[in-house]
Coordinates of all heavy atoms in Angstrom, one line a residue:
L406 N 14.5 2.1 -24.7 CA 15.1 1.3 -23.7 C 16.5 1.8 -23.3 O 16.8 1.9 -22.1 CB 15.3 -0.2 -24.2 CG 14.0 -1.0 -24.2 CD1 14.3 -2.4 -24.8 CD2 13.4 -1.2 -22.8
G407 N 17.3 2.3 -24.3 CA 18.6 2.9 -24.0 C 18.4 4.1 -23.2 O 19.2 4.4 -22.2
L408 N 17.5 5.0 -23.6 CA 17.2 6.2 -22.8 C 16.7 5.9 -21.4 O 17.2 6.6 -20.5 CB 16.2 7.1 -23.6 CG 15.7 8.4 -22.9 CD1 16.9 9.3 -22.7 CD2 14.6 9.0 -23.7
G409 N 15.9 4.9 -21.3 CA 15.4 4.5 -20.0 C 16.5 4.0 -19.0 O 16.6 4.4 -17.9
F410 N 17.4 3.2 -19.6 CA 18.5 2.7 -18.8 C 19.4 3.9 -18.4 O 20.0 3.9 -17.3 CB 19.3 1.7 -19.5 CG 18.6 0.3 -19.5 CD1 18.3 -0.3 -20.7 CD2 18.3 -0.3 -18.3 CE1 17.7 -1.6 -20.7 CE2 17.7 -1.6 -18.3 CZ 17.4 -2.2 -19.5
A411 N 19.6 4.8 -19.3 CA 20.5 6.0 -19.0 C 19.8 6.8 -17.9 O 20.5 7.3 -17.0 CB 20.7 6.8 -20.2
M412 N 18.5 7.0 -18.0 CA 17.8 7.8 -17.0 C 17.9 7.1 -15.6 O 18.1 7.7 -14.6 CB 16.4 8.0 -17.4 CG 16.2 9.0 -18.6 SD 14.5 8.9 -19.3 CE 13.5 9.2 -17.8
G413 N 17.6 5.8 -15.6 CA 17.7 5.1 -14.4 C 19.1 5.0 -13.8 O 19.2 5.2 -12.5
G414 N 20.1 4.9 -14.6 CA 21.5 4.9 -14.1 C 21.8 6.2 -13.5 O 22.5 6.3 -12.5
G415 N 21.4 7.3 -14.2 CA 21.7 8.6 -13.7 C 21.0 8.9 -12.4 O 21.6 9.5 -11.5
L416 N 19.8 8.5 -12.3 CA 19.1 8.7 -11.0 C 19.8 7.9 -9.9 O 19.9 8.4 -8.7 CB 17.6 8.3 -11.2 CG 16.7 8.4 -9.9 CD1 16.7 9.8 -9.4 CD2 15.3 7.8 -10.2
W417 N 20.2 6.7 -10.2 CA 20.9 5.9 -9.1 C 22.2 6.6 -8.7 O 22.5 6.6 -7.5 CB 21.1 4.5 -9.7 CG 21.8 3.6 -8.6 CD1 21.2 3.0 -7.6 CD2 23.2 3.3 -8.5 NE1 22.1 2.3 -6.8 CE2 23.3 2.5 -7.4 CE3 24.3 3.6 -9.3 CZ2 24.6 1.9 -7.0 CZ3 25.5 3.1 -8.9 CH2 25.7 2.3 -7.7
L418 N 22.9 7.2 -9.7 CA 24.1 7.9 -9.3 C 23.9 9.0 -8.4 O 24.6 9.3 -7.4 CB 24.9 8.3 -10.6 CG 25.5 7.2 -11.4 CD1 26.1 7.8 -12.7 CD2 26.6 6.4 -10.6
V419 N 22.8 9.8 -8.7 CA 22.4 10.9 -7.8 C 22.0 10.4 -6.4 O 22.5 11.0 -5.4 CB 21.2 11.7 -8.4 CG1 20.7 12.7 -7.5 CG2 21.7 12.3 -9.7
L420 N 21.3 9.3 -6.3 CA 20.9 8.8 -5.0 C 22.1 8.3 -4.3 O 22.2 8.4 -3.0 CB 19.9 7.7 -5.2 CG 18.5 8.1 -5.7 CD1 17.6 6.9 -6.0 CD2 17.8 9.1 -4.8
S421 N 23.0 7.6 -5.0 CA 24.3 7.1 -4.3 C 25.1 8.3 -3.8 O 25.7 8.2 -2.7 CB 25.1 6.3 -5.3 OG 24.3 5.2 -5.8
L422 N 25.2 9.4 -4.6 CA 26.0 10.5 -4.2 C 25.3 11.2 -2.9 O 26.0 11.5 -2.0 CB 26.0 11.6 -5.3 CG 26.8 12.9 -5.0 CD1 28.2 12.6 -4.6 CD2 26.6 13.8 -6.2
A423 N 24.0 11.3 -2.9 CA 23.3 11.8 -1.8 C 23.5 11.0 -0.5 O 23.8 11.5 0.6 CB 21.8 12.0 -2.1
C424 N 23.5 9.7 -0.7 CA 23.7 8.7 0.4 C 25.1 8.9 1.0 O 25.3 8.9 2.2 CB 23.4 7.3 0.0 SG 23.6 6.1 1.3
T425 N 26.1 8.9 0.1 CA 27.5 9.0 0.5 C 27.7 10.4 1.2 O 28.4 10.4 2.2 CB 28.4 8.9 -0.7 OG1 28.1 7.7 -1.4 CG2 29.9 8.9 -0.3
L426 N 27.2 11.4 0.7 CA 27.3 12.7 1.4 C 26.7 12.7 2.7 O 27.2 13.3 3.7 CB 26.7 13.8 0.5 CG 27.5 14.1 -0.8 CD1 26.7 15.2 -1.6 CD2 28.9 14.6 -0.6
G427 N 25.5 12.1 2.9 CA 24.9 12.0 4.2 C 25.7 11.2 5.2 O 25.9 11.6 6.3
V428 N 26.3 10.1 4.8 CA 27.2 9.3 5.6 C 28.4 10.1 6.0 O 28.9 10.1 7.1 CB 27.5 7.9 5.0 CG1 28.6 7.2 5.8 CG2 26.3 7.1 4.9
M429 N 29.0 10.8 5.0 CA 30.2 11.6 5.2 C 29.9 12.7 6.2 O 30.7 12.9 7.1 CB 30.7 12.2 3.9 CG 32.0 13.0 4.0 SD 32.5 13.6 2.4 CE 31.2 14.7 2.0
G430 N 28.8 13.4 6.1 CA 28.5 14.4 7.1 C 28.1 13.9 8.4 O 28.5 14.5 9.5
A431 N 27.5 12.7 8.5 CA 27.1 12.2 9.8 C 28.3 11.7 10.6 O 28.3 11.8 11.8 CB 26.0 11.1 9.7
R432 N 29.2 11.1 9.9 CA 30.3 10.4 10.6 C 31.6 11.2 10.5 O 32.7 10.8 11.1 CB 30.6 9.0 10.0 CG 29.4 8.1 10.1 CD 29.6 6.8 9.5 NE 30.7 6.1 10.1 CZ 31.2 4.9 9.7 NH1 30.6 4.3 8.6 NH2 32.2 4.3 10.3
K433 N 31.6 12.4 9.9 CA 32.7 13.3 9.8 C 33.9 12.6 9.2 O 35.0 12.6 9.7 CB 33.1 13.9 11.1 CG 32.0 14.5 11.9 CD 31.4 15.7 11.1 CE 30.2 16.3 12.0 NZ 29.6 17.4 11.2
I434 N 33.7 12.0 8.0 CA 34.8 11.2 7.4 C 34.9 11.7 5.9 O 34.0 12.4 5.4 CB 34.6 9.7 7.4 CG1 33.2 9.4 6.8 CG2 34.7 9.2 8.8 CD1 32.9 7.9 6.8
A435 N 36.0 11.3 5.2 CA 36.2 11.7 3.9 C 35.2 11.0 2.9 O 34.6 10.0 3.3 CB 37.6 11.4 3.5
F436 N 35.1 11.5 1.7 CA 34.2 11.0 0.7 C 34.5 9.5 0.4 O 33.6 8.7 0.4 CB 34.1 11.8 -0.5 CG 33.1 11.4 -1.5 CD1 31.8 11.8 -1.5 CD2 33.5 10.5 -2.6 CE1 30.9 11.4 -2.4 CE2 32.6 10.1 -3.5 CZ 31.3 10.5 -3.4
G437 N 35.8 9.3 0.1 CA 36.2 7.9 -0.2 C 36.0 6.9 0.9 O 35.6 5.8 0.7
V438 N 36.3 7.4 2.1 CA 36.1 6.5 3.3 C 34.6 6.2 3.4 O 34.2 5.0 3.7 CB 36.7 7.1 4.5 CG1 36.4 6.2 5.7 CG2 38.2 7.4 4.3
A439 N 33.7 7.2 3.2 CA 32.3 7.0 3.4 C 31.8 6.0 2.3 O 30.9 5.2 2.6 CB 31.6 8.3 3.3
W440 N 32.2 6.1 1.1 CA 31.8 5.2 0.0 C 32.2 3.8 0.3 O 31.5 2.9 0.1 CB 32.3 5.7 -1.3 CG 32.0 4.7 -2.4 CD1 32.8 3.9 -3.1 CD2 30.7 4.5 -3.0 NE1 32.2 3.2 -4.0 CE2 30.8 3.5 -4.0 CE3 29.4 5.0 -2.7 CZ2 29.8 3.0 -4.7 CZ3 28.4 4.5 -3.5 CH2 28.5 3.5 -4.4
R441 N 33.5 3.6 0.8 CA 33.9 2.3 1.1 C 33.1 1.7 2.3 O 32.8 0.5 2.3 CB 35.4 2.3 1.4 CG 36.3 2.5 0.2 CD 37.8 2.2 0.5 NE 38.3 3.1 1.5 CZ 38.9 4.3 1.2 NH1 39.0 4.6 -0.1 NH2 39.3 5.1 2.1
A442 N 32.8 2.5 3.3 CA 32.0 2.1 4.4 C 30.6 1.6 3.9 O 30.1 0.6 4.4 CB 31.9 3.1 5.4
I443 N 30.0 2.4 3.0 CA 28.7 2.0 2.4 C 28.8 0.7 1.7 O 28.0 -0.2 1.9 CB 28.2 3.1 1.5 CG1 27.8 4.3 2.4 CG2 27.0 2.6 0.7 CD1 27.4 5.5 1.6
W444 N 29.8 0.6 0.8 CA 29.9 -0.6 0.0 C 30.3 -1.9 0.8 O 29.9 -3.0 0.4 CB 30.9 -0.4 -1.1 CG 30.7 -1.4 -2.2 CD1 31.6 -2.3 -2.6 CD2 29.6 -1.5 -3.1 NE1 31.1 -3.1 -3.7 CE2 29.9 -2.6 -4.0 CE3 28.4 -0.8 -3.2 CZ2 29.0 -3.0 -5.0 CZ3 27.5 -1.3 -4.2 CH2 27.8 -2.3 -5.0
R445 N 31.0 -1.7 1.9 CA 31.3 -2.9 2.7 C 30.3 -3.1 3.8 O 30.5 -4.0 4.7 CB 32.7 -2.6 3.3 CG 33.8 -2.6 2.3 CD 35.1 -2.2 2.9 NE 36.2 -2.1 1.9 CZ 37.4 -1.7 2.2 NH1 37.7 -1.3 3.4 NH2 38.3 -1.6 1.2
A446 N 29.2 -2.3 3.8 CA 28.1 -2.5 4.8 C 28.6 -2.4 6.2 O 28.3 -3.2 7.1 CB 27.4 -3.8 4.6
R447 N 29.3 -1.3 6.5 CA 29.8 -1.1 7.8 C 29.3 0.2 8.4 O 28.9 1.1 7.6 CB 31.4 -1.0 7.8 CG 32.0 -2.3 7.4 CD 33.5 -2.1 7.3 NE 34.2 -3.4 6.9 CZ 35.5 -3.5 6.7 NH1 36.3 -2.4 6.9 NH2 36.0 -4.6 6.4
G448 N 29.3 0.3 9.7 CA 28.9 1.6 10.3 C 27.4 1.7 10.6 O 26.8 2.7 10.6
G449 N 26.8 0.6 11.0 CA 25.3 0.6 11.4 C 24.4 0.3 10.3 O 24.2 -0.9 10.0
V450 N 23.8 1.3 9.6 CA 22.8 1.0 8.6 C 23.5 0.4 7.4 O 24.5 0.8 6.9 CB 22.1 2.3 8.2 CG1 21.1 2.1 7.1 CG2 21.4 3.0 9.4
N451 N 22.8 -0.6 6.9 CA 23.3 -1.3 5.7 C 22.9 -0.6 4.4 O 21.9 -1.0 3.8 CB 22.8 -2.8 5.7 CG 23.5 -3.7 4.7 OD1 24.0 -3.2 3.6 ND2 23.7 -4.9 5.0
W452 N 23.6 0.5 4.1 CA 23.3 1.3 3.0 C 23.5 0.6 1.7 O 23.0 0.9 0.6 CB 24.0 2.6 3.0 CG 23.6 3.5 4.1 CD1 24.3 3.9 5.2 CD2 22.3 4.2 4.2 NE1 23.5 4.7 6.0 CE2 22.4 5.0 5.4 CE3 21.2 4.3 3.4 CZ2 21.3 5.8 5.8 CZ3 20.1 5.1 3.7 CH2 20.2 5.8 4.9
R453 N 24.4 -0.4 1.7 CA 24.7 -1.1 0.4 C 23.4 -1.8 -0.1 O 23.1 -1.8 -1.3 CB 25.8 -2.2 0.7 CG 26.2 -3.0 -0.5 CD 27.3 -4.0 -0.3 NE 26.9 -4.9 0.7 CZ 27.7 -5.9 1.2 NH1 28.9 -6.0 0.8 NH2 27.3 -6.7 2.1
A454 N 22.7 -2.5 0.8 CA 21.5 -3.2 0.4 C 20.5 -2.1 -0.1 O 19.8 -2.4 -1.1 CB 20.9 -3.9 1.6
V455 N 20.4 -1.0 0.5 CA 19.5 0.1 0.1 C 19.8 0.5 -1.3 O 19.0 0.6 -2.2 CB 19.5 1.3 1.0 CG1 18.6 2.4 0.5 CG2 19.0 0.9 2.4
L456 N 21.1 0.8 -1.6 CA 21.5 1.2 -2.9 C 21.4 0.2 -4.0 O 21.0 0.5 -5.1 CB 23.0 1.7 -2.9 CG 23.2 3.0 -2.1 CD1 24.7 3.4 -2.1 CD2 22.4 4.2 -2.6
L457 N 21.6 -1.1 -3.6 CA 21.4 -2.2 -4.6 C 19.9 -2.3 -5.0 O 19.6 -2.5 -6.2 CB 21.9 -3.5 -4.0 CG 23.4 -3.6 -3.9 CD1 23.8 -5.0 -3.2 CD2 24.1 -3.5 -5.2
V458 N 19.0 -2.2 -4.0 CA 17.6 -2.3 -4.3 C 17.2 -1.0 -5.2 O 16.4 -1.2 -6.1 CB 16.8 -2.4 -3.1 CG1 15.3 -2.3 -3.4 CG2 17.1 -3.7 -2.4
L459 N 17.7 0.1 -4.8 CA 17.4 1.3 -5.5 C 17.9 1.2 -6.9 O 17.3 1.7 -7.9 CB 17.9 2.6 -4.8 CG 17.2 3.0 -3.5 CD1 17.9 4.2 -2.9 CD2 15.7 3.4 -3.8
G460 N 19.1 0.7 -7.1 CA 19.6 0.5 -8.4 C 18.8 -0.4 -9.3 O 18.5 -0.1 -10.5
A461 N 18.3 -1.5 -8.7 CA 17.4 -2.4 -9.4 C 16.1 -1.7 -9.8 O 15.6 -1.9 -10.9 CB 17.1 -3.7 -8.6
L462 N 15.5 -1.0 -8.9 CA 14.3 -0.3 -9.2 C 14.5 0.8 -10.2 O 13.6 1.0 -11.1 CB 13.8 0.4 -7.9 CG 13.3 -0.6 -6.8 CD1 12.8 0.2 -5.5 CD2 12.1 -1.4 -7.3
C463 N 15.6 1.5 -10.2 CA 15.9 2.5 -11.2 C 16.1 1.9 -12.6 O 15.6 2.5 -13.6 CB 17.1 3.3 -10.8 SG 16.9 4.4 -9.4
L464 N 16.8 0.8 -12.6 CA 17.0 0.1 -13.9 C 15.7 -0.5 -14.5 O 15.6 -0.8 -15.7 CB 18.1 -0.9 -13.8 CG 19.5 -0.4 -13.5 CD1 20.5 -1.6 -13.4 CD2 19.9 0.5 -14.6
V465 N 14.7 -0.7 -13.6 CA 13.4 -1.2 -14.1 C 12.5 0.0 -14.4 O 11.8 0.0 -15.4 CB 12.8 -2.2 -13.1 CG1 11.4 -2.5 -13.5 CG2 13.6 -3.4 -13.0
G466 N 12.5 1.0 -13.5 CA 11.6 2.1 -13.6 C 12.0 3.0 -14.7 O 11.1 3.6 -15.4
G467 N 13.3 3.2 -15.0 CA 13.7 4.1 -16.1 C 13.1 3.6 -17.5 O 12.5 4.4 -18.2
P468 N 13.4 2.4 -17.9 CA 12.8 1.9 -19.1 C 11.3 1.9 -19.2 O 10.7 2.2 -20.2 CB 13.4 0.5 -19.2 CG 14.6 0.5 -18.5 CD 14.4 1.4 -17.3
L469 N 10.7 1.6 -18.0 CA 9.2 1.7 -18.0 C 8.7 3.1 -18.2 O 7.7 3.3 -19.0 CB 8.7 1.2 -16.6 CG 8.7 -0.3 -16.3 CD1 8.2 -0.6 -14.9 CD2 7.9 -1.1 -17.4
A470 N 9.4 4.1 -17.6 CA 8.9 5.5 -17.8 C 9.2 5.9 -19.3 O 8.3 6.6 -19.9 CB 9.7 6.4 -16.9
A471 N 10.3 5.5 -19.8 CA 10.6 5.8 -21.2 C 9.6 5.2 -22.2 O 9.1 5.8 -23.2 CB 12.0 5.5 -21.6
L472 N 9.3 3.9 -22.0 CA 8.3 3.2 -22.9 C 6.9 3.7 -22.7 O 6.1 3.8 -23.6 CB 8.4 1.7 -22.6 CG 9.7 1.0 -23.0 CD1 9.7 -0.4 -22.5 CD2 9.9 1.1 -24.5
A473 N 6.6 4.1 -21.4 CA 5.2 4.5 -21.1 C 4.8 5.8 -21.8 O 3.6 6.1 -22.0 CB 5.0 4.7 -19.6
T474 N 5.8 6.6 -22.3 CA 5.4 7.9 -23.0 C 4.9 7.6 -24.4 O 4.3 8.5 -25.0 CB 6.7 8.8 -23.0 OG1 7.7 8.1 -23.7 CG2 7.1 9.2 -21.6
G475 N 5.1 6.4 -24.9 CA 4.7 6.1 -26.3 C 3.9 4.9 -26.4 O 3.3 4.7 -27.5
Y476 N 3.9 4.0 -25.4 CA 3.2 2.7 -25.5 C 2.4 2.4 -24.2 O 2.7 3.1 -23.2 CB 4.2 1.6 -25.8 CG 5.0 1.8 -27.0 CD1 6.3 2.4 -27.0 CD2 4.6 1.3 -28.2 CE1 7.0 2.6 -28.1 CE2 5.3 1.4 -29.4 CZ 6.6 2.1 -29.3 OH 7.3 2.2 -30.4
H477 N 1.6 1.4 -24.3 CA 1.0 0.9 -23.1 C 1.8 -0.3 -22.6 O 1.8 -1.4 -23.2 CB -0.5 0.5 -23.3 CG -1.4 1.6 -23.8 ND1 -1.8 2.6 -23.0 CD2 -1.9 1.8 -25.1 CE1 -2.6 3.4 -23.7 NE2 -2.6 3.0 -24.9
V478 N 2.7 0.0 -21.6 CA 3.7 -1.0 -21.2 C 3.1 -2.3 -20.8 O 3.5 -3.4 -21.2 CB 4.6 -0.4 -20.1 CG1 5.7 -1.4 -19.7 CG2 5.2 0.9 -20.6

Side-chain angles (χ1 to χ4, degrees):
L406 286 174
L408 176 62
F410 282 123
M412 292 168 51
L416 178 60
W417 183 79
L418 290 177
V419 172
L420 295 175
S421 301
L422 178 61
C424 181
T425 306
L426 293 176
V428 173
M429 183 179 66
R432 300 179 60 185
K433 308 300 182 183
I434 56 179
F436 183 86
V438 178
W440 174 252
R441 287 192 295 269
I443 290 174
W444 196 246
R445 294 173 183 175
R447 296 177 180 176
V450 180
N451 195 325
W452 291 110
R453 179 179 63 182
V455 174
L456 290 180
L457 288 176
V458 172
L459 288 177
L462 293 177
C463 289
L464 291 180
V465 173
L469 284 179
L472 291 171
T474 58
Y476 302 91
H477 300 289
V478 181

